[in-house]
Amino acid sequence: MRASRGLNRILTGGLVLALLAPAAAAVQVRILSWNILTYNDPGTAEFEALKRIVQALDPDIILFQEANNSTGRSRFLTDFRTRYPYNYLGPPFYENPRNQVVSAFPIKSAGIIWCKVGTTQTNFERPTIWAELDIDSPPDGAADVRVFSTHYKSGSTTTDGQTRLNQATEDDAVITGLLTSDPNYQIYYAGDLNCQLGDAPLNRIQSHLTRLSIIDPNNGSPVTYPSSGRIIDHILYSVALQGRITNQRIFNSATGTPPPPALSGDSATASDHLSLISTVDLLTTVTRYPPSITAAASRKTHTTAGTFDIDVFAAHPTEPRKDGPTQVVVTFDRPIRQFSNTNDDVQVTSGTVGNLAINGNQLTITLSGATNASPLYVGFAGITTAGNPALGCSDVLCIRVLRGDVTTTTGSETSTVNSFDLIATRAQLGRPVTSSNFRSDNDASGTVNSFDLINVRAQLGRSVTGCQ
């Protein structure tokens, strides 16, 4: 039965309802992060290797570090103009920029995060940059994700270490502000941090982001800077992307068989760092809407005959079996969580919620005691978006409860148990219970027998109004 809206005059228990905009869609996006050392001059072996790797990996978004050499950079953007019509280049504004965002999606806004050099007030000349991207197709004019491309200060002096920590601290402050204003902000942060696991700057940036574990799947190595054997290139993400990043890998064309047109030696030729790529399932306009119901079923097990579902989302049928709905499985358009972690997160107009269980974007509700011959309204005020506990679901599910309504009336009309229900049940007596006749197994015993016929006869004349 389709989720009902605008029913606050009917519902009790403080359910808050609102008319929702269309639910957000998910878009799979490939993101590449890579310290390329330099674009190099067009036509050189290094430049051509770089191009072949990008062609082979075919990312949607590229986060380059050490994006210098204006001639090579201009040629690269020209050669890939159709694939990546948008780009944002960070400072310095003479010929030594360190960060760049190259995108197939429109850049709605972009910015720079400066930090001190050591303990002085001089801005570090190669700051972190960010860009907000509109990934809808067609673009709706609103940003959906913020990507960061960063290259922390290299070197082993005390000043170098302090500058790295300064950079992480300033970046974390920006990220903290974003997540404070919207806990469901989609953030993808990547680059050459010149930090290894356990280093203070990396720990700082992990205050509000999670580091993605990433290896070369062909040899199991996590090393990103082969000449030193160190792990200094990293990907981090916000809680809104938890469980939404897949196929993450360090790409080294020398291990395994590289996808064409990449050649086996291209990684080593193009750069002294290896590239990092992943697939991210990004939600469009994710911060605007609470979770929305996409499917719902009333589920019962008919002993050895099996488990059978009645769709209670689309067609407004009734639940005709004994005890009404006892298990309702609700599917939402995105991962969900409970706000209070109690059964009060789901509210019903009759009966009792005995248990709630969440698996990704699916909620299983255990119910008992729903009133017969009455619409049962189920509200989800305490079911929220996984990354944002402030966004509770305002959808309401209506299930018509009418024992013995074997033939059911769909839609908004009143449904009544009548002779047609008796005839339908009698026709199934002694037959195996299947997906086509399980409604006649009124007591869910696994067989259609005289007890089912008696149950239907006992309900003759009872009715339930349609869902409003």
Side-chain angles (χ1 to χ4, degrees):
M1 186 169 301
R2 187 169 302 281
S4 301
R5 296 186 174 101
L7 297 171
N8 42 330
R9 67 185 185 278
I10 296 174
L11 293 174
T12 60
L15 296 180
V16 179
L17 307 179
L19 182 64
L20 297 182
V27 178
Q28 287 199 330
V29 176
R30 287 186 301 277
I31 305 180
L32 171 67
S33 176
W34 191 8
N35 181 331
I36 58 175
L37 183 60
T38 173
Y39 273 104
N40 289 290
D41 290 327
T44 62
E46 293 83 359
F47 179 83
E48 297 303 324
L50 170 68
K51 283 185 53 177
R52 284 192 295 267
I53 289 176
V54 171
Q55 289 170 327
L57 297 179
D58 192 31
D60 301 293
I61 301 167
I62 303 173
L63 308 178
F64 277 147
Q65 297 92 51
E66 298 211 60
N68 56 15
N69 189 313
S70 59
T71 305
R73 184 172 60 248
S74 177
R75 178 62 179 271
F76 178 91
L77 295 176
T78 297
D79 289 350
F80 287 92
R81 181 183 293 114
T82 301
R83 181 72 175 99
Y84 309 111
Y86 311 98
N87 85 92
Y88 174 60
L89 182 67
F93 302 109
Y94 52 88
E95 190 36 56
N96 192 22
R98 290 298 175 107
N99 295 301
Q100 186 178 25
V101 176
V102 182
S103 175
F105 306 105
I107 296 175
K108 303 307 300 179
S109 59
I112 302 166
I113 306 175
W114 297 98
C115 74
K116 294 187 295 184
V117 177
T119 58
T120 73
Q121 295 300 318
T122 304
N123 284 336
F124 176 51
E125 67 173 8
R126 298 186 295 270
T128 299
I129 65 169
W130 56 264
E132 293 208 323
L133 310 177
D134 180 2
I135 63 173
D136 300 85
S137 181
D140 68 352
D144 300 301
V145 61
R146 182 177 290 202
V147 295
F148 293 77
S149 183
T150 188
H151 186 184
Y152 289 8
K153 180 71 173 69
S154 61
S156 57
T157 68
T158 300
T159 298
D160 294 333
Q162 183 61 54
T163 303
R164 284 191 289 272
L165 185 57
N166 294 345
Q167 197 158 0
T169 301
E170 295 294 337
D171 290 2
D172 179 63
V174 171
I175 290 164
T176 300
L178 294 174
L179 297 177
T180 298
S181 64
D182 182 357
N184 208 30
Y185 224 104
Q186 295 187 124
I187 296 173
Y188 192 95
Y189 181 101
D192 175 5
L193 274 60
N194 276 303
C195 296
Q196 300 194 85
L197 296 177
D199 289 352
L202 182 54
N203 290 342
R204 178 62 57 83
I205 203 64
Q206 289 184 94
S207 298
H208 297 93
L209 300 178
T210 300
R211 180 184 175 274
L212 185 67
S213 179
I214 188 165
I215 62 171
D216 180 339
N218 294 311
N219 61 12
S221 173
V223 171
T224 64
Y225 190 42
S227 64
S228 68
R230 292 188 296 161
I231 306 167
I232 58 175
D233 302 86
H234 304 275
I235 295 171
L236 299 100
Y237 59 91
S238 62
V239 68
L241 298 183
Q242 181 69 44
R244 294 186 171 275
I245 304 179
T246 59
N247 300 319
Q248 66 267 24
R249 62 197 186 278
I250 297 171
F251 177 73
N252 185 348
S253 61
T255 63
T257 302
L263 305 176
S264 61
D266 279 350
S267 289
T269 300
S271 176
D272 55 349
H273 287 248
L274 296 175
S275 53
L276 284 60
I277 190 165
S278 66
T279 300
V280 188
D281 190 18
L282 292 171
L283 291 177
T284 62
T285 56
V286 65
T287 61
R288 300 177 186 174
Y289 309 120
S292 184
I293 297 173
T294 60
S298 179
R299 176 171 295 171
K300 284 184 186 289
T301 299
H302 294 234
T303 64
T304 57
T307 298
F308 300 99
D309 290 354
I310 294 175
D311 182 352
V312 291
F313 180 68
H316 297 282
T318 55
E319 170 52 84
R321 295 171 289 186
K322 180 181 178 181
D323 299 325
T326 52
Q327 190 176 70
V328 179
V329 181
V330 185
T331 303
F332 296 86
D333 63 346
R334 68 199 66 185
I336 55 172
R337 56 165 286 180
Q338 289 185 240
F339 180 75
S340 71
N341 290 316
T342 70
N343 291 340
D344 290 337
D345 288 325
V346 168
Q347 296 173 309
V348 292
T349 51
S350 71
T352 303
V353 176
N355 186 62
L356 301 176
I358 289 176
N359 182 14
N361 65 335
Q362 196 168 80
L363 170 69
T364 300
I365 308 167
T366 301
L367 294 168
S368 63
T371 302
N372 188 37
S374 178
L376 169 67
Y377 291 98
V378 186
F380 304 87
I383 302 302
T384 72
T385 299
N388 190 346
L391 292 178
C393 177
S394 297
D395 282 355
V396 176
L397 193 66
C398 178
I399 306 171
R400 298 192 301 181
V401 183
L402 183 59
R403 186 169 184 184
D405 186 21
V406 175
T407 57
T408 196
T409 299
T410 61
S412 60
E413 298 178 10
T414 297
S415 186
T416 303
V417 182
N418 53 32
S419 58
F420 293 107
D421 300 303
L422 273 175
I423 293 169
T425 302
R426 186 179 292 113
Q428 299 300 322
L429 287 174
R431 294 186 179 181
V433 175
T434 66
S435 59
S436 61
N437 71 354
F438 70 89
R439 295 178 65 92
S440 294
D441 182 19
N442 188 263
D443 57 6
S445 65
T447 59
V448 182
N449 52 36
S450 59
F451 293 107
D452 298 302
L453 201 60
I454 292 169
N455 290 333
V456 174
R457 185 177 292 116
Q459 299 294 320
L460 283 174
R462 302 199 74 173
S463 63
V464 62
T465 58
C467 292
Q468 302 301 312

